[in-house]
Amino acid sequence: MNVRPLNDRVLVKRLEEEDKTAGGIYIPDSAKEKPTRGKVIAAGSGRADDDGNRKPLDVKAGDEILFGKYAGTEIKIDGEELIIMREDDILAVVES
């Protein structure tokens, strides 16, 4: 199924966090928090300003991003958990 976000929304897949700390200690599943890092799967066309012109988004499909802990709305498509969020919920783009 193809999903295309509208306006200034993006579709994000969470990236899994490491299972162990930098010191080598393994973290059990019950102690893990939801990752706040993800990959943009699809992006909308941008927000319309007061004059009706579209302002393009700063992110695009394939970008790796950081977002807030409670950002967006979780959905399930074809058994895969994804998040739809506004561009304002994105904190940063990770550049390697």
Side-chain angles (χ1 to χ4, degrees):
M1 173 187 306
N2 287 336
V3 177
R4 183 176 51 91
L6 299 176
N7 299 324
D8 66 334
R9 290 182 171 81
V10 294
L11 186 64
V12 177
K13 179 179 179 182
R14 285 187 196 267
L15 296 178
E16 294 300 319
E17 296 288 328
E18 292 289 325
D19 288 339
K20 64 179 180 175
T21 64
I25 298 172
Y26 284 93
I27 303 170
D29 289 337
S30 60
K32 286 184 184 177
E33 293 186 8
K34 288 185 176 181
T36 57
R37 193 173 188 157
K39 183 175 183 182
V40 176
I41 304 299
S45 58
R47 180 182 298 209
D49 62 10
D50 294 335
D51 298 328
N53 299 322
R54 290 261 175 214
K55 179 181 178 267
L57 300 179
D58 291 331
V59 296
K60 61 188 179 306
D63 282 351
E64 195 171 311
I65 60 168
L66 298 176
F67 52 89
K69 189 182 227 180
Y70 302 108
T73 302
E74 293 182 359
I75 61 171
K76 194 176 253 190
I77 299 174
D78 296 334
E80 187 174 25
E81 290 188 20
L82 301 171
I83 305 169
I84 292 183
M85 65 179 72
R86 291 189 176 275
E87 185 185 31
D88 295 343
D89 293 336
I90 298 173
L91 304 174
V93 175
V94 178
E95 297 177 351
S96 15

